[in-house]
Amino acid sequence: MHEFKYKNNRLYCEGVSVETLAKKFGTPLYVYSYATLIGHYNKLKSAFKPIEPLICYSVKANSNLSILKALVSAGSGLDIVSGGELFRAIKAGCPAKRIVYASVGKTDGEIRVSIKRGILSFNVESIAELENINRIAGIFNKVVNISIRINPDVEPKTHKFITTGKLTNKFGIDFDNAHEIIIQRHKFANLNISGLHIHIGSQITEADPYVAAILKVTSFIQKLKERGVGLEYLNIGGGLGIVYDKENPQTAEKFAQKILPLLKKTGLKIIMEPGRFIVGNAGILLTKVLYLKSTPVKKFVVVDAGMNDLVRPALYDAYHQILPTSYIPCPESCEKVDVVGPICESADYFAKGRKLPSVLAGDYLAVMSAGAYGFSMASNYNSRRRAAEVIVKGNKVFLIRKRESFMDLIRDEIVVEL
Ligand code: LLP
């Protein structure tokens, strides 16, 4: 499943002991495995081979340029949500015709530059946005491809913060309004409505919600066909879940078995936007134990990474496995501890009441499955410098982002006399 394994009681990323990386580059440190990254991309690619979908990796999951470049070189397109992500996509060498752009709040500037670049499609989330893209495309005298993001109103059975396909969510357009738009498409002279898009949520571990959404969309496509409206693309979004704890998510194969027949039936070109599935288990966050602390009711392991480095536990109460980089057995008698960071918030934790082998100050811990929504959600809160990132390929190690400096923290500030 991933290339982080113990060899001779030391945790390795592919051919490199992660402890040596911690010593060389310092901590907190993100470590990625190239083989795991590309391996997951290839798993999806081969599971869906019969329909050869365009896989547009979702940049928001991990937007490091080297990660993007590696995926683009492997044939991936990119799913973006901002002008900043478009900038990264271009810097990573992604052909514009492999870029799709979703977001409920695209600005005029972001729309303009995307049109200039000639991206494959805007995934449009409201009628107001549709009118705006039509207007801006008109200024350029261009006809641009758009897909309507449908909100299919299905329950993805995931955390409420990462559910996106219910009518109570801000995303997408309901079927009735989408139908109205498509029937009135002559009003949008500068748009070519070439597809439909759905993205129902994230960390979805079963195929059923996808099946429900795709069935709804398929009957909508059929209804349109009967009215003489033909489409070219169906974009099924991302959302495939991974193993963090005891989840038993579907494999790419199982997922494909369930939805391939439905997708084939549409006769459309399929786009998918996986983020977490590709990069989630390809990264860890390495951190050093600073102090052990006991209160009358609890034991704390204080580490040098914080919620500014990995916010998922604080934000979603998310579970991440924690492994010592030197294997220490954890007998039944193992004590339960809270693993916490140095930040001035009680939400600054990586594990609560977790049975961990007894570690000492100076030991290193690996927070697992941190490749997706780890660094990309990191902040400078508490004026902490963002971590360095390295990627391992076999026995080779590449620094792909330097640790921020103190100067980086204040670079854009302007000190005025008040
Ligand atoms: N496409 C669209 C339109 C999306 O909004 C997203 C994620 C994806 C694709 C990729 O989803 P994935 O395959 O990675 O599940 N920060 C949260 C996850 C937020 C997901 C936002 N949208 C977390 O850490 O769990």
Side-chain angles (χ1 to χ4, degrees):
M1 189 183 66
H2 59 68
E3 291 297 325
F4 296 93
K5 295 190 182 108
Y6 284 109
K7 291 181 209 167
N8 301 323
N9 292 339
R10 299 258 181 251
L11 187 65
Y12 273 70
C13 173
E14 301 190 22
V16 180
S17 128
V18 296
E19 218 165 275
T20 61
L21 296 174
K23 285 182 183 146
K24 179 161 183 203
F25 296 98
T27 50
L29 179 71
Y30 274 98
V31 180
Y32 306 112
S33 151
Y34 174 83
T36 311
L37 177 79
I38 296 299
H40 279 87
Y41 171 78
N42 285 334
K43 271 185 198 170
L44 261 189
K45 200 174 157 173
S46 57
F48 283 89
K49 192 158 181 47
I51 55 167
E52 304 223 325
L54 173 61
I55 299 176
C56 290
Y57 163 72
S58 194
V59 173
K60 63 180 84 63
N62 187 319
S63 52
N64 183 287
L65 283 179
S66 295
I67 300 266
L68 301 184
K69 201 160 187 256
L71 289 166
V72 168
S73 305
S76 183
L78 298 174
D79 154 49
I80 61 164
V81 286
S82 69
E85 287 192 352
L86 176 63
F87 178 73
R88 283 181 178 276
I90 292 162
K91 286 276 176 215
C94 186
K97 283 292 168 241
R98 282 199 245 148
I99 298 175
V100 291
Y101 185 176
S103 156
V104 293
K106 304 176 186 83
T107 64
D108 289 6
E110 289 172 325
I111 294 168
R112 265 199 305 271
V113 57
S114 304
I115 293 177
K116 272 197 205 155
R117 289 284 174 179
I119 64 167
L120 177 61
S121 179
F122 289 95
N123 296 327
V124 175
E125 311 236 11
S126 66
I127 299 174
E129 183 197 330
L130 197 79
E131 286 164 350
N132 200 31
I133 298 178
N134 184 52
R135 179 184 65 80
I136 297 172
I139 299 171
F140 286 107
N141 216 0
K142 279 197 175 167
V143 175
V144 303
N145 281 337
I146 65 118
S147 288
I148 293 184
R149 177 167 178 178
I150 298 283
N151 184 321
D153 199 26
V154 296
E155 175 55 63
K157 301 183 205 157
T158 184
H159 193 287
K160 65 175 191 295
F161 283 7
I162 50 178
T163 294
T164 48
K166 299 274 295 164
L167 281 182
T168 44
N169 302 129
K170 67 178 174 179
F171 301 99
I173 300 175
D174 61 277
F175 282 109
D176 287 346
N177 271 308
H179 188 255
E180 200 52 33
I181 291 167
I182 295 174
I183 293 309
Q184 312 243 344
R185 62 192 183 287
H186 57 273
K187 286 191 182 161
F188 306 106
N190 295 91
L191 301 183
N192 172 31
I193 304 180
S194 59
L196 299 178
H197 171 231
I198 48 172
H199 171 74
I200 55 176
S202 197
Q203 185 53 16
I204 303 169
T205 51
E206 304 165 20
D208 299 0
Y210 287 97
V211 170
I214 294 168
L215 283 176
K216 281 187 170 187
V217 170
T218 311
S219 72
F220 184 63
I221 293 169
Q222 190 52 36
K223 196 164 138 192
L224 293 175
K225 240 189 216 160
E226 283 157 19
R227 300 202 58 158
V229 182
L231 297 169
E232 198 180 346
Y233 295 103
L234 173 61
N235 180 334
I236 61 165
L240 279 177
I242 62 166
V243 179
Y244 284 102
D245 184 12
K246 296 186 183 70
E247 301 90 342
N248 189 13
Q250 59 203 331
T251 58
E253 282 295 332
K254 287 254 162 66
F255 181 54
Q257 269 168 24
K258 287 260 172 87
I259 67 164
L260 256 179
L262 306 177
L263 298 178
K264 274 186 186 158
K265 235 190 227 164
T266 65
L268 302 181
K269 285 185 204 152
I270 303 298
I271 300 175
M272 28 204 331
E273 305 170 333
R276 191 189 317 262
F277 181 85
I278 290 179
V279 77
N281 281 322
I284 63 170
L285 173 62
L286 271 184
T287 183
K288 185 156 87 175
V289 176
L290 296 178
Y291 301 105
L292 304 178
K293 164 174 178 169
S294 298
T295 72
V297 293
K298 266 197 174 188
K299 291 213 159 175
F300 292 98
V301 174
V302 184
V303 297
D304 68 353
M307 64 189 276
N308 73 298
D309 298 300
L310 177 68
V311 76
R312 301 192 71 255
L315 198 55
Y316 315 114
D317 199 21
Y319 180 99
H320 284 263
Q321 196 186 6
I322 297 181
L323 297 176
T325 59
S326 292
Y327 179 75
I328 320 163
C330 185
E332 261 315 293
S333 57
C334 239
E335 265 182 311
K336 284 187 177 170
V337 295
D338 283 13
V339 179
V340 299
I343 288 181
C344 309
E345 300 270 351
S346 291
D348 181 29
Y349 74 95
F350 294 111
K352 276 194 176 158
R354 184 83 57 88
K355 266 192 175 173
L356 272 193
S358 34
V359 287
L360 300 171
D363 287 351
Y364 295 107
L365 295 175
V367 183
M368 306 301 289
S369 314
Y373 308 107
F375 191 94
S376 65
M377 294 180 80
S379 75
N380 292 118
Y381 186 41
N382 278 201
S383 284
R384 285 168 52 82
R385 296 168 297 159
R386 282 181 298 171
E389 295 175 287
V390 297
I391 192 162
V392 176
K393 186 179 185 187
N395 293 322
K396 291 202 188 114
V397 180
F398 304 88
L399 179 65
I400 57 172
R401 194 180 211 276
K402 288 191 270 185
R403 185 175 308 285
E404 281 179 335
S405 66
F406 288 120
M407 271 317 285
D408 289 331
L409 291 179
I410 58 166
R411 186 173 315 283
D412 297 320
E413 289 178 40
I414 300 156
V415 183
V416 295
E417 295 296 335
L418 296 169

